[in-house]
Amino acid sequence: MTSSVFAAERLLFTPATPDTNAISTIFAFPNEYSVGITSLGYQVVWATLAMRADVQVSRLFTDIHEQLPRQPELLGFSMSWELDYVNILNLLESLEIPIRAIARKDHHPIVFGGGPVLTANPEPFADFFDVILLGDGENLLDNFINAYKAVRNADRQTQLKALAQVPGIYVPCLYEVEYHDVDGAIKSINPISPEIPAVVQKQTYRGNTLSASTVVTEKAAWENIYMVEVVRSCPEMCRFCLASYLTLPFRSASLEGSLIPAIERGLEVTNRLGLLGASVTQHPEFESLLDYISQPKYDDVRLSIASVRTNTVTVQLAQTLAKRDTKSLTIAVESGSERLRQIINKKLHNDEIIQAAVNAKAGGLTGLKLYGMVGIPGEEPEDLDATVTMMRDIKKAAPGLRLTLGCSTFVPKSHTPFQWLGVNRQAEKRLQLLQKQLKPQGIDFRPESYNWSIIQALLSRGDRRLSKLLELTRNFGDSLGSYKRAFKELKGTLPDLDFYVYANWSTEQVLPWSHLHGPLPQSTLVKHLADATSQFKSSIKELQPLK
């Protein structure tokens, strides 16, 4: 079974033949193969390692694996989803490696991790990793391997101290966290010795050649898809958005130098193309890219496109997609309330949303999926009414277009202006209210689980004290109930759920990630927060320091 899965792969790179003394490495994705192999980040890192003759890399998933070395020197995890931490702990145990970094000895591999979850806020998971790579992998990965080679034969502590000198490499055990109280806010985060950098800066790749699939397979969750990253980050900077703030600046792939060659390469092995990015249609030459894909030689190509900016939905775009076997488009509107969109810096008007629906239908698409959110800071009941009205207006303007509203709860994210604001306790009721009002209108309303949002908020604002909680929760199963049960058991040794999830934090307090710097300084985030809160109708509780 395993060999047939790997045999189905069509590689778009040439792996190197490993040297006799190559570094034995396991690179894992903490989920099933079909999910992991669909992750562009995982594919690119694996290919980068496999193209180095000084590394012998084997892949590991929760259901299958390649032949694994008996004594790996490095074990890496790509983490795209918070709850996959359970699988990381399971995989460590299956390899007979201690779950906690502090318990590992010289003969154990260096356990490293990267990916969006760990770059955003690694602290809840910090005790499980020896090394965390913060930011874009393009230069960081090679720098990590080269730095490891220089200390390959040293003892573990020497290795970790040397790796910590590399920009973007975070070694959690070399930093000490002090708290005001065991169940209070953080007092300070400092390196344990003067030679360790006080701050780790997330690494940003600034080139104009972005990522593309390194493997295509029918066994992927998106069967036979070839993915091309069109843009990285998003220029809109909605105040809550991790995909924009954490990955700034906005970069677009060169059309002639990167996109077209990548697409030509991929379409030799498959006819399924996925264009990826937080705001694909904002590529400065997006129309030229569409013209290129619209050539007759690509008539049989099935095209999928990630979320698009509302005011870029033209009839031409809809026609191209409809012709390429795409039935619907996805746009993020957040709310039907103009006032709320101003608060979050979403530069968008209802008439543009309605026009996008009209254009989608005129171009031959049959569906439009909108993404919304409840519990946005400053939200009032009338803002929900505005969302219902907007959905009705779209339905009236584009009759026959299948409308879906996917709706999540606002979750504060690190490195964004709203990182200091808690989850709205009314959010669950508000999701139910929208459901009640939209269902009779024939609008498909798809709320994201409120309980999952609570867990997400806990992990996105969590600190190191959560590692004990995560281990316990894993033993109880990972439902919201098991988190609550674990909090009960650990009462008095860490703050309660409310502190992490619902509390508004002070802009003065030390955040769990204060020593891990994103693209923008804290002063800029505070200014963006002030711009937003100045527009709130009802004043939120003053952001007082938490002791």
Side-chain angles (χ1 to χ4, degrees):
M1 141 75 182
T2 302
S3 56
S4 70
V5 169
F6 295 123
E9 295 180 335
R10 279 157 293 164
L11 300 189
L12 289 124
F13 71 99
T14 307
T17 303
D19 301 336
T20 46
N21 194 26
I23 301 162
S24 60
T25 303
I26 298 173
F27 186 47
F29 192 93
N31 209 310
E32 293 177 356
Y33 172 85
S34 65
V35 177
I37 208 64
T38 312
S39 159
L40 185 58
Y42 180 83
Q43 286 188 19
V44 169
V45 172
W46 162 59
T48 305
L49 293 171
M51 285 190 285
R52 290 186 65 131
D54 54 1
V55 174
Q56 164 111 42
V57 63
S58 308
R59 289 174 293 161
L60 168 65
F61 303 91
T62 53
D63 52 348
I64 62 168
H65 57 79
E66 292 176 315
Q67 191 174 352
L68 302 179
R70 287 187 56 191
Q71 284 268 265
E73 290 180 57
L74 298 175
L75 166 60
F77 289 95
S78 175
M79 197 172 175
S80 302
W81 200 51
E82 289 90 341
L83 294 191
D84 276 349
Y85 86 86
V86 173
N87 295 329
I88 292 177
L89 304 190
N90 293 344
L91 288 170
L92 286 170
E93 276 186 352
S94 74
L95 296 166
E96 298 180 355
I97 296 164
I99 281 177
R100 287 180 171 264
I102 200 163
R104 293 179 199 137
K105 304 283 187 279
D106 282 2
H107 68 277
H108 289 121
I110 296 283
V111 177
F112 71 94
V117 170
L118 294 173
T119 293
N121 175 21
E123 288 304 283
F125 316 102
D127 288 343
F128 309 133
F129 288 94
D130 297 301
V131 164
I132 290 168
L133 308 181
L134 300 178
D136 296 334
E138 274 86 352
N139 308 325
L140 190 49
L141 192 67
D142 284 335
N143 292 348
F144 166 58
I145 299 293
N146 295 340
Y148 173 74
K149 276 174 76 177
V151 287
R152 190 177 178 187
N153 299 316
D155 63 88
R156 194 176 195 85
Q157 212 48 27
T158 306
Q159 288 176 339
L160 293 176
K161 283 182 173 167
L163 290 169
Q165 305 303 321
V166 180
I169 293 188
Y170 173 44
V171 180
C173 70
L174 301 180
Y175 295 81
E176 199 172 11
V177 185
E178 271 192 84
Y179 306 94
H180 286 289
D181 302 295
V182 280
D183 58 355
I186 295 170
K187 189 177 184 180
S188 65
I189 305 169
N190 293 307
I192 58 170
S193 61
E195 76 268 23
I196 305 302
V199 159
V200 187
Q201 179 71 49
K202 176 192 164 295
Q203 294 303 287
T204 302
Y205 165 72
R206 294 179 186 272
N208 61 1
T209 300
L210 298 182
S211 303
S213 286
T214 59
V215 59
V216 169
T217 174
E218 67 202 24
K219 309 285 188 190
W222 297 340
E223 201 177 311
N224 285 323
I225 195 159
Y226 177 77
M227 297 171 284
V228 179
E229 188 183 17
V230 177
V231 294
R232 195 172 291 182
S233 194
C234 173
E236 295 305 309
M237 295 176 73
C238 295
R239 307 278 188 237
F240 61 85
C241 183
L242 188 68
S244 180
Y245 274 86
L246 184 65
T247 56
L248 289 169
F250 179 64
R251 287 145 287 167
S252 47
S254 148
L255 184 68
E256 299 292 338
S258 173
L259 288 177
I260 288 175
I263 290 169
E264 283 176 347
R265 206 164 55 241
L267 294 182
E268 281 175 18
V269 298
T270 184
N271 67 344
R272 201 162 168 209
L273 177 65
L275 302 182
L276 302 192
S279 194
V280 171
T281 50
Q282 278 174 289
H283 188 288
E285 295 176 274
F286 186 73
E287 279 183 25
S288 307
L289 177 61
L290 268 193
D291 290 341
Y292 172 78
I293 297 166
S294 300
Q295 295 176 89
K297 68 172 176 174
Y298 292 141
D299 273 352
D300 70 327
V301 168
R302 295 170 62 195
L303 180 64
S304 312
I305 191 165
S307 182
V308 300
R309 174 102 175 118
T310 310
N311 56 7
T312 58
V313 180
T314 58
V315 176
Q316 185 214 354
L317 171 66
Q319 281 171 338
T320 306
L321 291 172
K323 228 185 339 194
R324 296 279 176 274
D325 208 30
T326 290
K327 303 205 169 25
S328 69
L329 253 189
T330 302
I331 57 176
V333 296
E334 314 320 338
S335 170
S337 160
E338 302 264 355
R339 184 187 73 86
L340 264 195
R341 285 201 296 264
Q342 250 180 323
I343 288 172
I344 59 178
N345 194 38
K346 186 98 187 169
K347 307 170 204 64
L348 186 59
H349 298 290
N350 281 7
D351 52 2
E352 292 174 295
I353 299 168
I354 291 166
Q355 191 59 53
V358 170
N359 291 352
K361 190 186 171 196
L365 294 175
T366 55
L368 183 66
K369 183 170 186 182
L370 298 100
Y371 275 126
M373 198 183 271
V374 297
I376 292 168
E379 182 180 76
E380 300 287 342
E382 53 265 36
D383 296 313
L384 298 179
D385 299 338
T387 297
V388 174
T389 304
M390 173 192 74
M391 294 306 291
R392 277 190 200 133
D393 291 347
I394 296 171
K395 202 169 190 309
K396 208 184 293 177
L401 191 68
R402 196 181 66 256
L403 289 184
T404 304
L405 177 63
C407 199
S408 61
T409 295
F410 161 73
V411 169
K413 295 285 185 182
S414 57
H415 307 287
T416 70
F418 283 179
Q419 64 187 355
W420 291 282
L421 303 176
V423 171
N424 187 319
R425 291 178 190 275
Q426 299 299 312
E428 191 170 21
K429 282 198 181 102
R430 291 179 180 183
L431 286 171
Q432 290 161 353
L433 184 86
L434 285 177
Q435 170 101 14
K436 208 166 126 186
Q437 302 215 17
L438 292 172
K439 219 174 171 189
Q441 315 280 329
I443 290 161
D444 184 9
F445 181 68
R446 295 188 190 169
E448 202 174 90
S449 153
Y450 171 75
N451 286 348
W452 157 236
S453 299
I454 296 307
I455 294 170
Q456 231 189 342
L458 170 69
L459 295 175
S460 76
R461 288 171 114 198
D463 53 50
R464 287 188 190 187
R465 288 170 291 188
L466 289 189
S467 63
K468 284 181 296 203
L469 182 100
L470 294 179
E471 282 184 272
L472 261 185
T473 302
R474 167 184 173 236
N475 300 338
F476 298 153
D478 52 7
S479 65
L480 185 65
S482 46
Y483 279 84
K484 287 184 169 164
R485 191 175 151 196
F487 266 112
K488 215 178 204 167
E489 204 148 308
L490 294 170
K491 199 170 172 55
T493 65
L494 81 172
D496 57 19
L497 185 74
D498 279 25
F499 168 86
Y500 293 112
V501 174
Y502 299 108
N504 288 332
W505 288 355
S506 161
T507 52
E508 302 296 309
Q509 81 190 72
V510 178
L511 299 170
W513 51 88
S514 286
H515 57 311
L516 310 173
H517 286 193
L520 295 176
Q522 176 149 317
S523 54
T524 304
L525 298 182
V526 171
K527 185 185 172 304
H528 290 187
L529 174 68
D531 290 347
T533 51
S534 66
Q535 301 178 50
F536 286 12
K537 194 160 89 180
S538 63
S539 66
I540 60 162
K541 273 188 222 152
E542 266 304 292
L543 302 180
Q544 294 298 344
L546 288 162
K547 285 281 167 14

